[in-house]
Amino acid sequence: MGILILVRRLTLLTGRCRFVTFSVALALTIGLFSTQGAQAAGAVFQVDVNTRLAAANSHDTYGLTLSLWRDCFLQAKKSPEGYSEAYMEQVLARIDEILTEDSADAPAAAVQPNIIVAQSESFYDLTRLPGLQYERDPLENFHALESEGISGTFHSHYLGYGTGYLEMSMLYGITELDFGAGTNICFLEDDAYEKFDALPEQYTKSGYRAEMLHGYNDSLYNRTVTYPRLGFSDLLFSADIQALDFPWEGGIYGGYYMRDSYFFQAMLDRMEDINSSGERAFLYGITMENHQPFDPEKFNYECQIGVTSESLGEEDMAIVRVMLEGITRADQALGDLTDALRESEEPTIVVFFGDHRPNLFMTDGDTVYTKLGLCPDNDTVGWTPEEISDLYSTDYLIWANDAALLQGQAGTRRDSSITAIGPQLLELTGQPVTRYWALLEKVSQVCLTNTELYFVDGTGTPSAGVEEAALSDEARELLQLREDVLYDAMYGQQYITAEMNEPSSDGS
């Protein structure tokens, strides 16, 4: 499509010259998409055609037309050197060798708990922001539950947007960096989402029923197409949730969207119904109450907790109070959810995390983060890896209504991420997994985040990119193996894709 657009533009630009035909324009355009031709054109127009950039940065740097051409050229994902069937057989053999190293014959989990994954809109520990003073703890439930569960920094990969991309990374183990520049991982070819068994399918093969609940409608991120291919048997959006007709007192909506407390009650209702049918529940819930916009009147100017600042004016503080009220409500809903589960006889694990921090703009166009000194300006180009890592992270919690389900890890802290939380959950529940997810678990030990902006290793240490990271040869090999597997499945001949969906060779 990109080639045809450029052909038409070249034809229009040269159409007044009788010596230039459509075929010539086509030949010129195809030349622009060859490596040699693109390098030459890039030199003429001073466009870097080698380095991946985030779309916003690329558009700001080169303008729309050159940025689109650059992205189209980069979409051709480079194959691993020596890619062939023999090469991929060696990759598979090496993966099996790694998976069997130091492997123990762990017994199967004695209990299959229900799993409730709550992706909380714009939730993070805002008490970590400097320069704000609260009259009491706005995250009293989250902070209390940390002592009962596993918690820590959650590397999100995004700031202020990108919820659907985060879901795909968690549920399918892929990121934007695994594809050519400009590729939207929520809008791949339909069969791309069936190349690997997704996270829900690791559970549905063992007697679970997977359902997704979303507090808004079905119009965003292609969920109605992708989620059934990832193993979800039912998708419940706002109207479907309201049709459940479970006991509820009070309003359904808070601010502009569905209340988190109502939404979590719907998840409990679905868990009860699934359990009554003899199945275990894997529920993935996406909340909306704290979604932007953060207009001062969003919650009718209500703010349950007083907050002050010496550096922000009253108009800016009105916006801060909206953020504070939304996160307070999310925390209270989390408390209601866990209180209800304490009374339940059904063993249940809750995975709770914020998808990203809000991109909270103040009255002058700066964000709350620049105002409070966490970054120099709104342009990430000038940020240090440490600043990016901090602002592109939220917080997470894994909690269970039976401490034994946490395998002795209650009260511990460890960094996790949108690509590490799935393997972390699988390991915790002792779930049999495929080679693919066993490999992702190994990778998560050395890499929590790898994006166009920054890299975070398994210890939580950020750097500007994977090349700059202080990684061992073994860690780099794991990253390359993962890249080989994904190339083979998504761009190559799928030499070992079937084998990656088979049980891992370590017996897990």
Side-chain angles (χ1 to χ4, degrees):
M1 182 62 71
I3 291 178
L4 291 178
I5 290 172
L6 284 177
V7 167
R8 294 189 186 103
R9 289 182 178 177
L10 276 175
T11 304
L12 289 172
L13 289 173
T14 58
R16 294 180 180 177
C17 178
R18 60 179 178 174
F19 300 106
V20 179
T21 65
F22 182 87
S23 59
V24 172
L26 177 61
L28 288 171
T29 305
I30 291 174
L32 292 176
F33 285 87
S34 69
T35 300
Q36 199 170 26
Q39 295 285 358
V44 171
F45 294 106
Q46 296 184 330
V47 176
D48 177 3
V49 296
N50 299 306
T51 306
R52 291 175 59 99
L53 292 174
N57 292 339
S58 179
H59 291 173
D60 289 345
T61 304
Y62 300 116
L64 180 60
T65 301
L66 286 177
S67 178
L68 288 174
W69 164 71
R70 182 180 180 278
D71 281 355
C72 287
F73 169 70
L74 288 173
Q75 276 188 14
K77 185 76 172 178
K78 185 179 179 181
S79 66
E81 186 176 352
Y83 176 74
S84 64
E85 185 173 7
Y87 176 91
M88 291 309 300
E89 289 295 337
Q90 292 175 357
V91 167
L92 182 63
R94 181 58 181 142
I95 289 172
D96 281 345
E97 183 180 1
I98 290 172
L99 294 182
T100 55
E101 291 174 357
D102 302 322
S103 64
D105 294 328
V111 176
Q112 284 188 309
N114 295 301
I115 296 168
I116 294 178
V117 180
Q119 183 174 296
S120 182
E121 175 63 42
S122 297
F123 180 91
Y124 72 106
D125 189 348
L126 78 175
T127 65
R128 292 192 283 130
L129 291 178
L132 297 176
Q133 298 81 41
Y134 308 95
E135 65 176 4
R136 60 184 174 88
D137 186 359
L139 279 76
E140 59 181 357
N141 293 290
F142 184 86
H143 288 152
L145 291 167
E146 284 182 312
S147 65
E148 303 176 19
I150 307 165
S151 61
T153 299
F154 186 79
H155 296 278
S156 160
H157 298 193
Y158 287 88
L159 171 61
Y161 76 104
T163 301
Y165 313 137
L166 292 162
E167 295 163 29
M168 197 55 62
S169 293
M170 178 184 179
L171 296 170
Y172 204 40
I174 60 175
T175 72
E176 297 273 350
L177 201 62
D178 295 321
F179 298 88
T183 305
N184 189 321
I185 61 174
C186 293
F187 290 87
L188 304 174
E189 294 294 327
D190 291 354
D191 65 351
Y193 303 101
E194 297 172 337
K195 298 291 179 67
F196 298 112
D197 290 341
L199 177 65
E201 292 171 306
Q202 304 304 294
Y203 288 94
T204 56
K205 290 184 291 187
S206 301
Y208 282 78
R209 178 180 178 86
E211 295 185 358
M212 184 217 72
L213 293 86
H214 194 295
Y216 196 55
N217 62 38
D218 64 359
S219 61
L220 301 174
Y221 291 112
N222 202 30
R223 293 184 179 101
T224 56
V225 172
T226 60
Y227 269 65
R229 290 174 167 80
L230 299 182
F232 290 96
S233 56
D234 282 291
L235 314 181
L236 288 80
F237 294 93
S238 177
D240 308 305
I241 293 169
Q242 294 178 59
L244 294 175
D245 195 29
F246 50 84
W248 178 255
E249 295 181 2
I252 294 175
Y253 287 88
Y256 303 138
Y257 306 101
M258 181 177 286
R259 290 182 184 273
D260 285 5
S261 54
Y262 176 84
F263 183 83
F264 285 161
Q265 184 59 47
M267 296 190 79
L268 290 171
D269 183 72
R270 289 306 308 138
M271 187 184 83
E272 182 179 347
D273 279 0
I274 292 170
N275 290 165
S276 65
S277 70
E279 296 175 295
R280 311 311 290 160
F282 181 97
L283 301 177
Y284 193 91
I286 304 156
T287 74
M288 284 293 292
E289 187 173 10
N290 196 37
H291 197 280
Q292 65 176 336
F294 297 98
D295 303 329
E297 65 274 12
K298 177 178 179 179
F299 296 116
N300 295 320
Y301 298 94
E302 177 184 353
C303 187
Q304 302 171 52
I305 298 174
V307 58
T308 59
S309 172
E310 296 181 358
S311 58
L312 299 179
E314 180 51 37
E315 289 185 348
D316 288 342
M317 286 302 292
I319 300 171
V320 168
R321 281 191 285 271
V322 176
M323 173 184 67
L324 170 59
E325 177 64 16
I327 290 178
T328 300
R329 293 185 182 202
D331 178 77
Q332 291 168 341
L334 173 64
D336 292 342
L337 173 66
T338 52
D339 284 348
L341 289 172
R342 291 182 199 274
E343 301 299 319
S344 173
E345 295 182 356
E346 294 289 351
T348 304
I349 290 178
V350 173
V351 180
F352 180 89
F353 62 90
D355 56 349
H356 52 68
R357 296 193 191 190
N359 201 1
L360 202 69
F361 284 97
M362 302 286 93
T363 52
D364 62 356
D366 278 337
T367 67
V368 70
Y369 313 113
T370 59
K371 290 280 192 177
L372 297 179
L374 295 175
C375 54
D377 49 45
N378 296 341
D379 189 352
T380 57
V381 172
W383 295 9
T384 66
E386 290 75 17
E387 289 167 339
I388 296 174
S389 177
D390 176 41
L391 293 173
Y392 278 62
S393 65
T394 60
D395 300 87
Y396 85 100
L397 171 74
I398 300 178
W399 177 89
N401 61 357
D402 179 354
L405 296 172
L406 300 181
Q407 308 296 330
Q409 299 181 59
T412 61
R413 291 188 64 81
R414 61 182 282 188
D415 277 11
S416 192
S417 72
I418 196 65
T419 50
I421 195 77
Q424 187 177 349
L425 177 63
L426 290 167
E427 181 184 27
L428 186 66
T429 56
Q431 192 67 24
V433 296
T434 60
R435 281 189 180 96
Y436 175 67
W437 283 94
L439 175 62
L440 295 186
E441 194 279 325
K442 290 287 187 182
V443 170
S444 70
Q445 296 176 21
V446 300
C447 169
L448 293 175
T449 294
N450 189 14
T451 76
E452 295 169 338
L453 286 178
Y454 70 123
F455 178 92
V456 179
D457 69 17
T459 68
T461 303
S463 55
V466 65
E467 296 300 326
E468 292 81 0
L471 297 177
S472 66
D473 291 342
E474 292 79 6
R476 294 189 184 279
E477 181 188 23
L478 280 170
L479 293 175
Q480 184 60 55
L481 290 171
R482 177 187 176 277
E483 187 172 326
D484 292 342
V485 167
L486 284 167
Y487 178 87
D488 181 52
M490 300 298 179
Y491 290 96
Q493 300 301 312
Q494 300 172 36
Y495 292 125
I496 67 168
T497 303
E499 287 86 345
M500 292 304 296
N501 286 316
E502 294 174 353
S504 64
S505 58
D506 65 355
S508 62

